[in-house]
Amino acid sequence: MLRSDSNITISIDDAKQFRSIMRNCLEGRFNPTQKAEIQSRKERMARVTADIVKNNGGKNPILGY
């Protein structure tokens, strides 16, 4: 959830957990479950993109070409 308070306080454990997750993402260290989720998300995104382009006469309505 996004907080509207600009002066938020983060605990040391929260910061360590965030840095650990970011480090794993940057280095590409994912467990098999996460890899499967990423792959299914990529396939779904490609399918939706293809449907949008197909429904707009072969053009991407966002990019205009």
Side-chain angles (χ1 to χ4, degrees):
M1 181 163 101
L2 296 175
R3 298 177 180 162
S4 60
D5 184 12
S6 61
N7 295 321
I8 60 171
T9 56
I10 299 174
S11 69
I12 293 173
D13 291 334
D14 286 341
K16 285 180 182 178
Q17 182 182 12
F18 174 77
R19 288 180 180 144
S20 173
I21 292 170
M22 286 302 296
R23 188 178 307 113
N24 289 343
C25 289
L26 291 172
E27 294 174 358
R29 289 188 280 166
F30 302 106
N31 63 34
T33 305
Q34 290 171 326
K35 285 182 181 180
E37 289 174 2
I38 291 169
Q39 185 62 32
S40 68
R41 192 177 312 132
K42 283 182 180 180
E43 291 170 357
R44 188 173 63 243
M45 287 169 32
R47 195 171 49 248
V48 168
T49 301
D51 288 343
I52 290 171
V53 170
K54 182 178 67 174
N55 290 337
N56 287 288
K59 295 184 178 182
N60 187 328
I62 296 170
L63 300 177
Y65 57 86

